[in-house]
Amino acid sequence: MHAVEKIKICGEHCALDQPGMEEARNRLPGITKEILKTIGKEDSPDHVGFSKIPSQEALNEIVELVETLLYPGYYGEQEIDDSNLEFYIGNQVSKLFRVLSSQITKCLLHECSNPIEKCCDCEHGGKLKALEFMKKIPGLRLMLGEDVKAHYEGDPASTSPEEIIFCYPGLRAISIFRVAHELLLLGVPILPRMLTEFAHSATGVDIHPGATIGKSFFIDHATGVVIGETTVIGDRVKIYQGVTLGALSMPRDERGRLVRGTKRHPTIEDDVVIYANATILGGETVIGKGSVIGGNVWLTHSVPPGTKLIMDIPNQKFVQKSEKKK
Amino acid sequence: MHAVEKIKICGEHCALDQPGMEEARNRLPGITKEILKTIGKEDSPDHVGFSKIPSQEALNEIVELVETLLYPGYYGEQEIDDSNLEFYIGNQVSKLFRVLSSQITKCLLHECSNPIEKCCDCEHGGKLKALEFMKKIPGLRLMLGEDVKAHYEGDPASTSPEEIIFCYPGLRAISIFRVAHELLLLGVPILPRMLTEFAHSATGVDIHPGATIGKSFFIDHATGVVIGETTVIGDRVKIYQGVTLGALSMPRDERGRLVRGTKRHPTIEDDVVIYANATILGGETVIGKGSVIGGNVWLTHSVPPGTKLIMDIPNQKFVQKSEKKK
Amino acid sequence: MHAVEKIKICGEHCALDQPGMEEARNRLPGITKEILKTIGKEDSPDHVGFSKIPSQEALNEIVELVETLLYPGYYGEQEIDDSNLEFYIGNQVSKLFRVLSSQITKCLLHECSNPIEKCCDCEHGGKLKALEFMKKIPGLRLMLGEDVKAHYEGDPASTSPEEIIFCYPGLRAISIFRVAHELLLLGVPILPRMLTEFAHSATGVDIHPGATIGKSFFIDHATGVVIGETTVIGDRVKIYQGVTLGALSMPRDERGRLVRGTKRHPTIEDDVVIYANATILGGETVIGKGSVIGGNVWLTHSVPPGTKLIMDIPNQKFVQKSEKKK
């Protein structure tokens, strides 16, 4: 930085037209060469010579189009009524098919033994998987209808279903999760995780597409919620901001590598409520039906159905009581 | 997915020009029809045949324009000096009026008994409410000036007011909240909550537009803060990341429905400091003037003025002491 | 709002072409004047008559370009292979130089004694600092290669390095932090903090560019992580969502002003693991090498190397044990 200090402040009348441009012209080619030298080396990340996986732009487009079909009339610029409804839906279906099938093909090519070359199997697979997914949209709309209802009934601050759909990041995260989960079940690589990460960035809710989540799910305030890959959640469960359903420990094999694919995250049975910032960990941890887990609780063991576990401040400790349910 | 497996990888020389397009042409009309069948049913969400409520694009434009007027010269591409200041502000005022009044009209139409039809009352109401809001901009600038000062004085890592305005998500969330709160007071439906949810997505701070927040408010690090609808916050309050000011329980009426509209969230008196990830719940909980609530504390009862409530790790418990303030 | 009530709902046949436009034309000039009166006053924020600091658009462009050079072939629309690699990298280098040098110049001008006038020293400084930064890209790629590896080895849910680079917000936050940290070391004002705040908004991770962070750093789930300005983190450290490495208290000088520039945040030695939502505070707090800090722990004192500090729910208290490391 000494060079900077040697130049005096020269106001408006500097002789140099663009001070520093000469240095830039001299040094930029060398910088380019040094960066090029690091490409193709094992220790620095690059993806040169492989086909592209979905870009952020394609991802945005998929989310935008799928939301117009999951919630017709809510999203998108166009006014829809009986006169244009059929054309509108038909058009959105065809646009979603085009972008989704081409991006699924990219994801398949990425894992294909035949990468750079054009692979008809991946082309075909992309189209078929897109069609299979789109067939599920009516069923997804039913599921989301129940999620919307769970949000409306769960929050006394909500005033209308419109407000739920536009202003509840938890619902948006659940909607994108349900889409990603279907794509994962259809064997689409990479894209499902990119979709839930898109939702994570927009909403602060990190749901792995592999999680299994029942009907009428409600997430309030949303920020900081983490739901791990092998979590199983029943029906009518409510969770609040900052709740983690995570892994307790990371078993390693005899060579010290992480064991992948085991159940590492908890099971939450029907009708459970988990308040803000509670953390529940472990693949063998089961929260029994109808239990209420208080805010800030840290839990690594199972509790039977009907348990209330809250932090009792006046007595400075956690209190756990089991209640008979009628 | 069996169809995929039957196709062999055919490299570059596939006879089909676009493998899978035939299937797509055959199946897409049926998919469109199945989606159309779910529209207008009670169990799946749609908003067809109703006038649009504000779109994400309109929301972005409102936030962008209002920020150029709340913080002139900070936001926006144009360089402003004495020669163009009047024209610039006049132009921004006129642009904000146009988009804000038309979006308020959409929100009013949405709740109007006369929805699809053109309603002059909603048209007029949109313009008047936009004007009423814009009259408040000078007063909002004074409030925000005090918020900026509170941020600068509250964080030793801050180096200039510019850094506060550009790099403190807490300030951005407070700015958008103060705008949304004014619109709520003017009786604008939906839009206020959409604005604070925009801020939530951008900053991780979820402030309900109904909250009442005093002068010189400081939120540091911001992510995960939740401030509920009926919270009341005094002057010169400081809160840190992950703090929840929430509802303790959800009273239900005799038919089991949530009671809406009661005070469910706490009252925080003047000069209180609440450290990271503390949770304070309940409509009758009052944190007395000048109290300090430590990080991770979970609190559902009131504390008198001047209380210090911290978690005391060496003794494994929470410690609460009240101090006489001079 | 009384004016609204006086107008009756007139359906489609209102005599007024645009109800409310007359009022708007009458009142908008007055609103503009009231806003203009608040500009140049000390109590309301404005930045009129000063040169612009970087805009959000320029920031987006810098992040986008720098990511194409840190992870070539992962980001960006273009397919890259051996035939176009050199041209592509050369082009990205030249685009990044142009936008980065001009924005650094704006930041230097902002702190320059010679603000509005053209300052050759700032022009020159912007270009030189941009070149100095770009020289460091190969070294940054090596560092990030180790961060990617730490993420892959640390999370059993990850399936490929591609998934790490596209779907781990922690890695994105670390990447942008490492860029911002280099710019801070080169003496660039404002821009480093704007970059980490960009990352904070996108990922929920708030790392101050002044922090010192060693090799192979892993942040899982990411949302809510806060790492303060004077934090020092060793090699191979893993942290989870919601972890705060923060300041304990804010020393003030004899005039009651915050003391800036002291070490206020903790030191985390090599090979430490810190689980979700733990909070570690204070400039003198040192977490010894190889320690494991459990979730939700609140810690304001140092622990020796090899300590395990976890919350032990069955016994309702925190348990701290030190273990001899082999």
Side-chain angles (χ1 to χ4, degrees):
Chain A
M1 291 300 87
H2 290 290
V4 178
E5 284 149 26
K6 275 182 251 158
I7 306 275
K8 66 179 195 303
I9 295 177
C10 51
E12 297 178 70
H13 307 293
C14 180
L16 298 164
D17 207 26
Q18 289 183 284
M21 268 322 283
E22 180 92 16
E23 278 106 318
R25 274 187 291 263
N26 289 341
R27 289 174 58 186
L28 285 174
I31 286 171
T32 298
K33 266 182 209 142
E34 290 306 311
I35 294 174
L36 282 167
K37 275 189 205 163
T38 68
I39 293 176
K41 297 284 169 60
E42 215 196 314
D43 49 15
S44 298
D46 74 78
H47 202 250
V48 172
F50 295 92
S51 63
K52 279 259 168 299
I53 57 182
S55 67
Q56 200 55 48
E57 286 71 28
L59 206 65
N60 292 351
E61 205 183 336
I62 290 170
V63 171
E64 218 170 88
L65 287 165
V66 91
E67 285 182 334
T68 64
L69 290 171
L70 294 176
Y71 299 101
Y74 282 102
Y75 289 97
E77 278 298 291
Q78 204 182 332
E79 306 264 337
I80 322 175
D81 55 35
D82 287 349
S83 74
N84 61 2
L85 179 63
E86 283 190 39
F87 305 110
Y88 174 79
I89 298 292
N91 194 31
Q92 296 303 95
V93 161
S94 127
K95 285 200 283 188
L96 176 60
F97 173 72
R98 208 169 311 151
V99 58
L100 184 61
S101 62
S102 78
Q103 298 304 318
I104 295 176
T105 293
K106 284 190 180 188
C107 294
L108 294 173
L109 272 171
H110 184 264
E111 309 229 322
C112 175
S113 55
N114 205 6
I116 278 289
E117 314 273 327
K118 188 163 154 46
C119 166
C120 292
D121 201 19
C122 294
E123 289 277 330
H124 198 174
K127 294 207 178 60
L128 287 191
K129 284 176 199 293
L131 290 169
E132 285 304 309
F133 167 75
M134 290 173 72
K135 232 176 67 182
K136 292 178 193 297
I137 290 175
L140 282 169
R141 280 176 42 66
L142 271 178
M143 280 292 263
L144 295 174
E146 298 191 74
D147 294 326
V148 170
K149 222 173 135 197
H151 279 67
Y152 185 64
E153 288 175 356
D155 183 8
S158 67
T159 59
S160 68
E162 286 78 9
E163 193 185 315
I164 301 293
I165 291 170
F166 279 112
C167 306
Y168 280 69
L171 182 73
R172 193 171 191 215
I174 294 166
S175 304
I176 296 175
F177 158 77
R178 297 210 188 275
V179 167
H181 185 67
E182 292 300 334
L183 290 168
L184 190 84
L185 294 181
L186 290 170
V188 176
I190 306 171
L191 186 61
R193 191 77 174 74
M194 290 182 78
L195 284 166
T196 56
E197 193 45 42
F198 175 97
H200 184 190
S201 177
T203 68
V205 178
D206 182 2
I207 312 180
H208 194 286
T212 303
I213 299 181
K215 290 191 292 187
S216 300
F217 187 40
F218 173 36
I219 304 177
D220 204 3
H221 301 302
T223 311
V225 166
V226 173
I227 299 174
E229 184 182 18
T230 62
T231 306
V232 175
I233 295 177
D235 294 340
R236 296 171 303 280
V237 167
K238 292 186 201 183
I239 68 177
Y240 288 79
Q241 69 271 20
V243 165
T244 290
L245 307 176
L248 183 56
S249 65
M250 306 285 177
R252 288 172 187 273
D253 67 16
E254 67 282 7
R255 293 162 76 182
R257 294 171 311 192
L258 286 171
V259 177
R260 288 163 201 257
T262 58
K263 176 139 170 36
R264 305 181 309 280
H265 307 94
T267 295
I268 312 297
E269 294 186 349
D270 294 348
D271 302 301
V272 167
V273 182
I274 308 172
Y275 284 105
N277 302 316
T279 303
I280 301 176
L281 305 181
E284 293 175 18
T285 303
V286 178
I287 307 302
K289 186 174 155 72
S291 292
V292 176
I293 307 300
N296 268 24
V297 164
W298 168 263
L299 193 55
T300 59
H301 62 273
S302 297
V303 300
T307 301
K308 270 197 172 183
L309 182 62
I310 56 155
M311 216 203 254
D312 177 22
I313 283 288
N315 296 310
Q316 318 291 352
K317 57 180 180 171
F318 287 101
V319 174
Q320 177 173 341
K321 37 184 178 176
S322 292
E323 282 170 17
K324 288 253 165 69
K325 295 289 271 191
K326 296 171 223 176
Chain B
M1 290 304 86
H2 291 287
V4 177
E5 283 148 28
K6 276 182 252 157
I7 306 276
K8 67 179 196 301
I9 294 177
C10 49
E12 296 177 71
H13 308 292
C14 180
L16 298 165
D17 205 26
Q18 290 184 282
M21 266 324 282
E22 180 91 15
E23 278 106 319
R25 272 187 292 264
N26 289 340
R27 291 174 59 186
L28 285 175
I31 286 172
T32 298
K33 265 181 209 142
E34 290 305 311
I35 294 174
L36 282 167
K37 275 189 204 160
T38 69
I39 293 176
K41 298 283 169 60
E42 215 195 316
D43 50 14
S44 298
D46 75 77
H47 203 250
V48 173
F50 295 92
S51 63
K52 279 258 170 301
I53 57 181
S55 66
Q56 200 57 48
E57 287 70 29
L59 207 65
N60 293 351
E61 205 183 336
I62 290 170
V63 171
E64 218 171 87
L65 287 165
V66 90
E67 286 183 334
T68 64
L69 290 171
L70 294 175
Y71 298 102
Y74 281 103
Y75 289 98
E77 277 300 290
Q78 203 183 332
E79 306 263 338
I80 321 174
D81 56 35
D82 288 349
S83 73
N84 62 1
L85 178 63
E86 282 189 41
F87 305 110
Y88 173 80
I89 297 293
N91 194 33
Q92 296 301 95
V93 161
S94 129
K95 287 200 282 188
L96 176 60
F97 172 73
R98 210 170 309 151
V99 58
L100 184 61
S101 62
S102 79
Q103 298 305 318
I104 295 176
T105 293
K106 285 189 178 187
C107 294
L108 294 172
L109 273 169
H110 184 262
E111 310 230 320
C112 176
S113 55
N114 205 6
I116 278 289
E117 313 274 327
K118 187 165 153 51
C119 168
C120 293
D121 201 18
C122 294
E123 288 277 329
H124 198 174
K127 294 206 180 61
L128 287 191
K129 285 178 199 293
L131 290 170
E132 285 305 308
F133 166 75
M134 290 173 73
K135 233 175 67 182
K136 292 179 193 298
I137 290 176
L140 281 169
R141 281 178 39 68
L142 270 178
M143 280 292 264
L144 294 174
E146 297 190 73
D147 293 327
V148 170
K149 222 174 134 195
H151 279 67
Y152 184 64
E153 288 175 356
D155 183 7
S158 68
T159 59
S160 67
E162 284 79 9
E163 193 185 314
I164 300 292
I165 291 170
F166 279 112
C167 307
Y168 280 69
L171 182 73
R172 193 169 190 217
I174 294 167
S175 304
I176 296 175
F177 157 76
R178 296 209 188 276
V179 167
H181 185 66
E182 292 299 334
L183 289 167
L184 190 85
L185 294 181
L186 290 170
V188 176
I190 307 169
L191 187 60
R193 190 78 173 73
M194 291 183 76
L195 283 167
T196 56
E197 193 45 43
F198 175 98
H200 185 189
S201 177
T203 68
V205 178
D206 182 2
I207 312 180
H208 195 286
T212 304
I213 299 181
K215 291 191 293 187
S216 300
F217 187 40
F218 173 36
I219 303 177
D220 204 3
H221 302 301
T223 311
V225 166
V226 173
I227 299 174
E229 185 183 17
T230 63
T231 307
V232 176
I233 295 178
D235 294 340
R236 294 169 305 278
V237 168
K238 292 185 201 183
I239 69 177
Y240 288 79
Q241 69 271 20
V243 165
T244 290
L245 307 176
L248 183 55
S249 65
M250 306 284 177
R252 287 170 189 274
D253 66 15
E254 67 283 7
R255 295 163 75 182
R257 293 170 312 192
L258 286 171
V259 177
R260 290 162 200 258
T262 59
K263 173 135 170 41
R264 305 181 309 281
H265 306 94
T267 295
I268 313 296
E269 294 185 349
D270 295 347
D271 302 302
V272 167
V273 181
I274 307 172
Y275 284 105
N277 302 316
T279 303
I280 302 176
L281 304 181
E284 292 175 19
T285 303
V286 178
I287 306 302
K289 186 175 155 74
S291 292
V292 176
I293 307 301
N296 266 23
V297 164
W298 168 263
L299 193 55
T300 59
H301 62 274
S302 296
V303 300
T307 301
K308 270 197 171 181
L309 182 62
I310 55 155
M311 216 202 253
D312 178 22
I313 283 288
N315 296 309
Q316 318 290 353
K317 56 179 183 174
F318 288 99
V319 174
Q320 176 172 341
K321 36 184 178 176
S322 291
E323 283 170 17
K324 289 253 168 67
K325 295 290 271 191
K326 295 171 224 174
Chain C
M1 290 301 87
H2 291 287
V4 178
E5 284 148 28
K6 274 181 255 160
I7 307 276
K8 66 179 197 303
I9 295 178
C10 49
E12 297 177 70
H13 308 293
C14 180
L16 298 164
D17 206 28
Q18 291 184 280
M21 267 323 282
E22 180 91 16
E23 280 106 318
R25 273 187 291 264
N26 288 340
R27 289 174 60 185
L28 285 174
I31 287 172
T32 299
K33 266 181 209 144
E34 290 306 311
I35 295 174
L36 283 167
K37 274 189 205 161
T38 69
I39 293 176
K41 297 284 167 60
E42 215 194 317
D43 49 14
S44 298
D46 76 76
H47 202 251
V48 173
F50 295 93
S51 62
K52 279 257 168 301
I53 57 181
S55 66
Q56 200 55 50
E57 287 72 29
L59 207 63
N60 292 351
E61 205 184 337
I62 290 170
V63 171
E64 218 171 87
L65 287 165
V66 90
E67 285 182 335
T68 63
L69 290 172
L70 294 177
Y71 298 102
Y74 281 101
Y75 289 98
E77 278 299 289
Q78 204 183 332
E79 306 263 338
I80 321 174
D81 56 34
D82 287 349
S83 73
N84 62 1
L85 178 64
E86 282 190 41
F87 305 110
Y88 174 79
I89 297 292
N91 195 34
Q92 296 302 94
V93 161
S94 128
K95 287 201 282 189
L96 176 60
F97 172 72
R98 211 170 309 151
V99 59
L100 183 61
S101 62
S102 79
Q103 299 304 319
I104 295 176
T105 293
K106 284 190 180 186
C107 294
L108 294 173
L109 273 170
H110 183 264
E111 309 229 321
C112 175
S113 53
N114 206 6
I116 280 288
E117 313 272 328
K118 186 163 155 48
C119 168
C120 293
D121 200 21
C122 294
E123 288 276 330
H124 197 175
K127 295 205 179 62
L128 287 190
K129 284 177 200 294
L131 289 170
E132 285 304 309
F133 166 75
M134 291 174 72
K135 233 175 67 181
K136 291 178 194 299
I137 289 176
L140 282 169
R141 281 176 42 66
L142 270 178
M143 279 291 265
L144 295 173
E146 297 190 74
D147 294 326
V148 169
K149 221 174 135 196
H151 279 66
Y152 185 65
E153 289 175 357
D155 183 8
S158 67
T159 59
S160 67
E162 286 77 8
E163 193 185 314
I164 300 292
I165 290 170
F166 278 112
C167 307
Y168 280 68
L171 182 74
R172 194 171 189 216
I174 294 167
S175 304
I176 296 176
F177 158 77
R178 296 208 188 277
V179 167
H181 186 67
E182 292 300 333
L183 289 168
L184 190 85
L185 293 181
L186 290 170
V188 176
I190 306 171
L191 186 61
R193 192 77 174 74
M194 291 182 77
L195 283 167
T196 56
E197 193 44 42
F198 175 98
H200 184 189
S201 177
T203 68
V205 177
D206 182 2
I207 313 180
H208 195 286
T212 304
I213 299 181
K215 291 191 292 189
S216 300
F217 187 40
F218 173 36
I219 303 177
D220 204 3
H221 302 302
T223 311
V225 166
V226 173
I227 299 175
E229 184 182 16
T230 62
T231 307
V232 176
I233 294 177
D235 294 340
R236 296 171 303 281
V237 168
K238 292 185 200 182
I239 69 178
Y240 288 79
Q241 69 270 22
V243 165
T244 290
L245 307 176
L248 183 55
S249 65
M250 306 285 176
R252 287 173 188 273
D253 67 14
E254 67 281 7
R255 295 162 77 180
R257 294 171 310 194
L258 287 170
V259 177
R260 288 161 201 260
T262 58
K263 176 140 172 32
R264 306 181 308 281
H265 307 93
T267 295
I268 312 298
E269 295 185 348
D270 295 347
D271 302 300
V272 167
V273 181
I274 307 172
Y275 283 105
N277 302 315
T279 304
I280 301 176
L281 304 180
E284 292 176 18
T285 303
V286 178
I287 306 303
K289 184 175 156 74
S291 292
V292 176
I293 307 300
N296 268 23
V297 165
W298 168 263
L299 194 55
T300 59
H301 62 272
S302 296
V303 300
T307 300
K308 269 197 172 181
L309 182 62
I310 57 156
M311 216 202 254
D312 177 23
I313 284 286
N315 295 309
Q316 317 292 354
K317 55 180 184 173
F318 287 100
V319 174
Q320 177 173 341
K321 38 184 177 175
S322 291
E323 283 169 18
K324 288 255 166 67
K325 296 289 271 192
K326 295 172 224 175

